Amino acid sequence: MDKVILTGDRPTGRLHIGHYVGSLRSRVELQNKGDYDKFYIMIADVQALTDNWDNPEKVRQNIIEVALDYLSVGIDPSKVTIFVQSGVKGLFELTCFYMDVVTLARVQRNPTIKSELKMRGFGESIPCGFLTYPISQAADITGFDATIIPVGDDQLPMIEQAREIVRSINGIYGETLYEPEAVLPENDACRRLPGIDGNAKMSKSLGNCIYLSDDEETVNKKVMSMYTDPDHIRVEDPGKVEGNMVFTYLDCFCKEDSFERFLPEFKDLDELKAAYKKGGLGDVKIKRFLAAILNDELAPVREKRKYYEEHINEVFDILKKGTEDASKHCDEVVNRLRKNMKIDYFDNKEIISKYEGV
Ligand code: TRP
């Protein structure tokens, strides 16, 4: 069995540093380790349309934005196939067949769907496509024989759903699909980076994101506006580290040499936290430190982004070629399933064989 990695994102906005620490960074590491046969990254525009059907322009714009984000963090198109979901027609076919083996009750039980439905306030008017997107996502995964799915923990119910579909399909039609497994980010502090305002979710609609494409000045401004400890009023006051966004972000972004380079008067994060708790350490100082670390991390990202923005035709060709490659692989899976379902009527004459010679 080949080792196939697949993951993806909805193109509903530019990617932010929460995406970066939660998934993009580890994708680049995986890519550079090279321990795989195929590595796919999907821009999930069909899924994005399930709750943006009335705004296809937004999805369209963000296909290029997300591709730029991928390339600028160091995803290498010679090692990873980046593709656009809607261009792989086999996925629609798989989704359709998988629908038959999933009950409505099962999709309604999906915890991610439940909370998303509440959040979007569809009320009684839930689009069928939205409710069933976990089934389409099972197609995304199995359509390329992917078994390793690096995702955030909010996606675990999707992977579980995909595994169930694989078992059902294989149980009914014989061994056809591979069971995928989720791979979660290693660093716990990074699994879900909160917004700069302290809200548990970093999201475009809350306006609390730092984007990968933000310039230095914007990052500085955003860090300075970050939620810290509201009771830490004077520098001498003892401060709280828990729930203080600057420390939450430092837990995630601080590297071994960060102190030496940007704040040499402290040895490490433990020492900095102790000083803050004790009192005598001001917010501006820790914010400047965080901003320096973030800007250092983002500098090469900005540089690559600039290159690709200036060579946008390259980006277009990468997506086009990636989508063609992905389509070929998906067609193989579709044909396998059709054969095992015995609906490959026109590939052989079995359908009429019992009449022949009558
Ligand atoms: N649902 C994922 C998200 O919102 C995006 C996605 C679509 C995906 N298809 C996928 C992720 C397949 C992993 C595998 O982030």
Side-chain angles (χ1 to χ4, degrees):
M1 188 177 78
D2 274 358
K3 246 186 177 176
V4 181
I5 307 174
L6 180 137
T7 190
D9 302 278
R10 296 179 190 189
T12 50
R14 289 179 290 155
L15 301 182
H16 51 61
I17 60 170
H19 294 114
Y20 181 71
V21 289
S23 63
L24 296 174
R25 197 161 63 175
S26 55
R27 291 181 199 175
V28 176
E29 274 166 27
L30 271 175
Q31 160 194 289
N32 293 339
K33 260 199 229 143
D35 181 23
Y36 56 83
D37 296 291
K38 282 265 17 159
F39 192 162
Y40 291 104
I41 300 183
M42 178 176 69
I43 302 182
D45 62 332
V46 178
Q47 191 175 110
L49 286 164
T50 62
D51 62 337
N52 289 284
W53 68 90
D54 51 352
N55 195 358
E57 188 52 31
K58 168 172 148 192
V59 175
R60 206 164 81 99
Q61 292 293 335
N62 282 305
I63 285 173
I64 292 296
E65 285 297 331
V66 169
L68 283 169
D69 285 327
Y70 289 160
L71 294 165
S72 61
V73 298
I75 297 293
D76 176 350
S78 73
K79 296 180 178 149
V80 172
T81 306
I82 304 174
F83 71 96
V84 181
Q85 185 184 21
S86 60
V88 181
K89 303 212 173 69
L91 293 176
F92 295 97
E93 220 172 311
L94 293 177
T95 303
C96 202
F97 293 132
Y98 296 173
M99 294 257 191
D100 296 335
V101 303
V102 181
T103 65
L104 184 59
R106 178 61 184 88
V107 280
Q108 284 172 328
R109 262 203 318 274
N110 184 313
T112 303
I113 287 288
K114 265 192 187 166
S115 70
E116 287 187 324
L117 283 178
K118 225 186 263 157
M119 209 169 75
R120 284 170 177 72
F122 286 130
E124 290 295 297
S125 313
I126 303 167
C128 290
F130 185 83
L131 195 62
T132 55
Y133 90 71
I135 304 176
S136 151
Q137 188 159 332
D140 301 341
I141 292 167
T142 55
F144 309 92
D145 297 317
T147 50
I148 305 161
I149 320 298
V151 279
D153 53 8
D154 63 315
Q155 294 297 304
L156 290 177
M158 302 299 159
I159 312 298
E160 191 45 43
Q161 175 90 74
R163 289 163 65 88
E164 282 175 33
I165 290 174
V166 169
R167 282 182 226 134
S168 298
I169 293 281
N170 288 351
I172 304 162
Y173 307 115
E175 289 301 313
T176 311
L177 307 172
Y178 297 100
E179 258 187 60
E181 237 166 273
V183 182
L184 296 172
E186 269 167 32
N187 184 341
D188 228 27
C190 302
R191 281 198 184 177
R192 188 154 276 225
L193 194 70
I196 55 171
D197 58 354
N199 193 301
K201 201 173 149 62
M202 187 178 274
S203 98
K204 189 180 169 181
S205 51
L206 296 170
N208 60 4
C209 304
I210 296 178
Y211 292 101
L212 289 168
S213 46
D214 280 345
D215 61 21
E216 194 169 330
E217 198 187 321
T218 309
V219 169
N220 290 340
K221 239 194 252 150
K222 286 183 177 174
V223 170
M224 285 305 153
S225 76
M226 254 175 154
Y227 179 83
T228 56
D229 170 7
D231 299 323
H232 185 241
I233 297 161
R234 288 165 307 167
V235 173
E236 321 75 88
D237 293 340
K240 264 207 293 298
V241 164
E242 295 76 34
N244 180 324
M245 288 310 107
V246 178
F247 284 101
T248 304
Y249 279 45
L250 283 174
D251 278 333
C252 217
F253 285 95
C254 216
K255 289 192 193 153
E256 238 165 67
D257 62 352
S258 299
F259 280 90
E260 199 183 312
R261 292 177 60 202
F262 305 118
L263 196 61
E265 55 198 277
F266 291 93
K267 187 166 67 74
D268 56 25
L269 203 47
D270 288 337
E271 208 180 88
L272 188 75
K273 285 180 182 173
Y276 192 79
K277 282 192 216 165
K278 194 162 144 260
L281 182 58
D283 278 2
V284 171
K285 187 157 192 164
I286 55 168
K287 283 177 169 174
R288 285 217 182 102
F289 178 47
L290 175 64
I293 293 176
L294 289 179
N295 281 320
D296 182 60
E297 184 90 30
L298 290 176
V301 178
R302 290 178 188 132
E303 208 172 299
K304 278 213 194 71
R305 189 183 192 93
K306 188 163 177 285
Y307 169 85
Y308 281 109
E309 278 175 354
E310 286 164 2
H311 297 78
I312 202 72
N313 275 319
E314 262 181 57
V315 181
F316 185 86
D317 289 342
I318 288 166
L319 290 182
K320 184 158 178 268
K321 167 138 196 325
T323 305
E324 283 161 9
D325 289 352
S327 289
K328 269 190 213 133
H329 194 154
C330 190
D331 283 345
E332 282 170 32
V333 178
V334 169
N335 288 336
R336 207 158 70 213
L337 179 62
R338 280 177 162 265
K339 188 154 180 276
N340 291 353
M341 289 176 79
K342 297 199 189 315
I343 58 169
D344 56 339
Y345 310 122
F346 302 113
D347 292 338
N348 55 57
K349 285 192 150 185
E350 205 196 78
I351 191 173
I352 53 164
S353 62
K354 72 173 181 176
Y355 301 93
E356 266 172 345
V358 169

